[in-house]
Amino acid sequence: MSRLKPVAWLAPIAALLIASVLLIYRLDSIAGLHRDEAVFGLLAEDILNGLRPLRGYFNSYTSPMHTYLIAATFRIFGESIGTLRASGVFFNLCAAALYWDIARRLCPTMANAALVLLLSSPVFVVFSRISGEVYALNPFFLCAAAWLFTVSSASAKLAWSRAGLV
């Protein structure tokens, strides 16, 4: 696979920067805070006050990983609705970058168009702004798994390729 020329990186970087502006603009007010987000924020405050939950707040089969990320974000940037939603924005932008790289590997001529289509989708913009583990972490984990599968299966090293298939 050929290496990308430095100019080829400008379009996806520009698209991600524009998406960042769309996602960060009035992050603390659009869409209004709903009860699930508030609960994640309250549990993150509890974590900052010493609570160490081993399961998610809403049910016994989920992890509190997202809430620990929110607590870390609160610790660094302070507690606010914008900060509550910031980790979701970050992970969705990372997922979009992984999505672009997968598209670049599979169909290089369509990768930039696929990224712009994803980032300009109202569904992406709205759901990336909501602080819930389903919206914040699931797209990232899906794209990360697909990226690992794509990269490892294309590897010339047999052991790495088999590991990716597994």
Side-chain angles (χ1 to χ4, degrees), residues 70-86:
I70 293 171
T73 308
F74 278 0
R75 170 89 44 165
I76 295 167
F77 298 108
E79 296 177 22
S80 70
I81 296 172
T83 308
L84 173 69
R85 294 174 171 170

Side-chain angles (χ1 to χ4, degrees), residues 57-164:
Y57 183 81
F58 294 109
N59 46 51
S60 60
Y61 57 83
T62 60
S63 161
M65 181 187 325
H66 182 242
T67 311
Y68 278 102
L69 291 170
I70 293 171
T73 308
F74 278 0
R75 170 89 44 165
I76 295 167
F77 298 108
E79 296 177 22
S80 70
I81 296 172
T83 308
L84 173 69
R85 294 174 171 170
S87 62
V89 168
F90 172 76
F91 280 103
N92 276 285
L93 289 171
C94 290
L98 290 170
Y99 171 83
W100 173 81
D101 192 52
I102 292 166
R104 179 185 66 83
R105 292 169 185 276
L106 299 177
C107 187
T109 59
M110 297 302 295
N112 290 344
L115 180 65
V116 169
L117 184 64
L118 171 69
L119 295 177
S120 63
S121 165
V123 172
F124 178 83
V125 174
V126 171
F127 285 152
S128 294
R129 298 169 63 90
I130 297 174
S131 178
E133 75 245 1
V134 174
Y135 307 112
L137 297 180
N138 286 3
F140 173 74
F141 288 143
L142 173 71
C143 289
W147 184 84
L148 285 171
F149 178 78
T150 303
V151 170
S152 62
S153 63
S155 175
K157 295 181 181 179
L158 186 60
W160 179 242
S161 179
R162 285 184 179 166

